[in-house]
Amino acid sequence: MAGMAATAPSTFADDAWAFLVATRAELALFCAAVAAYVLLFGNMAPKSKRSRPQKAKQLPAAADGDLGDLGDGSSQVDLKPAQREELERAFNEAFAAGDHRQALSCWSTLRRCEQVPAISLARAVESMQRFKKDPNFVLRELKAYFKRFPSQCDAAVVNDLVESLGKRLDSELLGKVIDMMLSMNLQPDHRTYEVLLAMQFSMRNFSQVRALLGEMGEKGIRMTTRARVVATKTMLKAGSFEEAAHHFRELSSLWECGADGTSAATTTPSAAPQHIVAQLVELACRDHSLSQLLPMLEGVPVSEEAVATMLSECVRRKDTALTAKVEQLVRARGHTLSDATYTLLVKSASGEPERVRRLFNEVKASGPAVSPDFALALLSFCGQTQSGALADELLEHMQPTQMPVLSAFIRFYTEQEEFDKACDVYERRVLPSR
């Protein structure tokens, strides 16, 4: 029995050793993993957290949650003028830096002051929206603000806010602000409608633009230059020349008389957006109403593209009288006619040799350079009228080297049965260039 008891510990020790030997690789791997963890992450035991003293807030704000109720008189804050100015400066700096949390912190204090804060209400509303405040919350803030400061219940103040919302195309909140404006017995004026028209046009709600224009007409609200421009662009989009021309015609009176009814020194016909003029010209040509549009363009800068569109329409219609009116309009600007304009004028004056001669003389007087397009147009005219002398004069003046132009001269002389001249052009001008 004693021998058996003595051998038991020995057997256990042998088994333990055999286990360690068998699992030596796994144990070594585990120890290596523990060592790597200690080296990488430090002490395995987590450090006790020490309470850190929180920094005192500089501003008594509630930007994290509800901004409070402005209607509660007990929430009024008495600030010294220097403190209020410091908060106003901090608000503007925070807004400019995009720190809307800090801006709302300043707002939550300034709105409780006895004096009206000298900050932009539109900026405060934008900070609320950037801070994910819903429209109903913003509207409650606005109502409480105007209740606290009745002196701010002014159309100019509300219009500043309306303009800010209109630029951001926030139609939902803008509609609520308009309703609030009406509840304050403030009627939308020309500036309010100007913003609404621009916003609806930017959102391509042309039916709403028409509805607003009709509402302005019913209420007798005058239209500003900006509103007329929006109305003109809307009618251009709708393809209605008559309505677009009506609004464009009204713009002339607004250029002569400022939007406020006074003389406009800076608002002149030269300020007309040229893309509107170009679109109006294109619509008039498509509607065959160019003759109605020309009187409206007097004194208005017209781009070369618009001139080309008008003259191309004259060429298609073969209307020499209309061409003369367009030419008169272009020359009234006092600028030198472009080569493209001369080319189209020659094409439109196919039955007027004297006029074509005058145009050619003007081109010659401007210099020896003649474009291939003008030369081809003039040769086409010479072929229709059998004006060999004019073609000879063009050849002598131009001294062409372009192959399309030389080919046109050879074709012209061949059709006129002036073979000697055709051969001369080929031998003296075509062969040397090869």
Side-chain angles (χ1 to χ4, degrees), residues 339 343 370-380 394 398 400 405 408-409:
D339 182 80
T343 301
V370 177
S371 72
D373 290 338
F374 179 82
L376 294 175
L378 190 60
L379 282 174
S380 176
L394 173 64
M398 184 180 181
V405 178
F409 272 106

Side-chain angles (χ1 to χ4, degrees), residues 305-318:
E305 292 77 11
V307 172
T309 301
M310 290 188 289
L311 289 176
S312 298
E313 174 67 11
C314 295
V315 172
R316 284 192 297 269
R317 296 175 58 180
K318 298 181 180 180

Side-chain angles (χ1 to χ4, degrees), residues 142-303:
L142 290 173
K143 289 180 178 179
Y145 174 83
F146 287 117
K147 182 178 180 181
R148 171 65 67 89
F149 305 112
S151 62
Q152 295 298 293
C153 296
D154 183 73
V157 176
V158 180
N159 280 333
D160 288 340
L161 175 59
V162 168
E163 186 169 3
S164 175
L165 295 173
K167 289 179 179 179
R168 300 201 303 275
L169 305 181
D170 192 342
S171 58
E172 180 182 1
L173 183 56
L174 182 53
K176 295 179 181 295
V177 171
I178 296 298
D179 292 338
M180 180 194 69
M181 187 179 185
L182 295 173
S183 67
M184 296 162 53
N185 294 325
L186 293 176
Q187 295 298 321
D189 57 9
H190 62 279
R191 185 184 172 193
T192 311
Y193 278 101
E194 180 182 279
V195 174
L196 293 174
L197 287 170
M199 183 189 71
Q200 295 296 343
F201 180 83
S202 299
M203 298 173 66
R204 305 186 68 82
N205 293 333
F206 302 131
S207 59
Q208 288 294 326
V209 175
R210 285 180 174 272
L212 288 171
L213 291 174
E215 189 176 328
M216 293 180 69
E218 293 175 359
K219 294 182 178 180
I221 298 176
R222 60 183 175 84
M223 295 186 66
T224 62
T225 301
R226 183 183 174 190
R228 284 290 182 189
V229 169
V230 172
T232 305
K233 292 164 68 175
T234 300
M235 302 312 164
L236 287 172
K237 291 290 184 181
S240 176
F241 172 76
E242 292 296 335
E243 292 179 289
H246 166 72
H247 290 292
F248 188 80
R249 189 184 301 109
E250 293 297 326
L251 280 174
S252 302
S253 61
L254 291 176
W255 284 323
E256 297 173 359
C257 178
D260 55 354
T262 59
S263 177
T266 59
T267 309
T268 62
S270 61
Q274 292 202 10
H275 68 277
I276 293 182
V277 177
Q279 291 176 15
L280 189 60
V281 167
E282 184 177 353
L283 180 59
C285 293
R286 189 166 63 244
D287 201 51
H288 303 295
S289 303
L290 184 57
S291 58
Q292 302 177 29
L293 177 63
L294 289 177
M296 307 179 201
L297 297 180
E298 295 180 2
V300 178
V302 182
S303 64

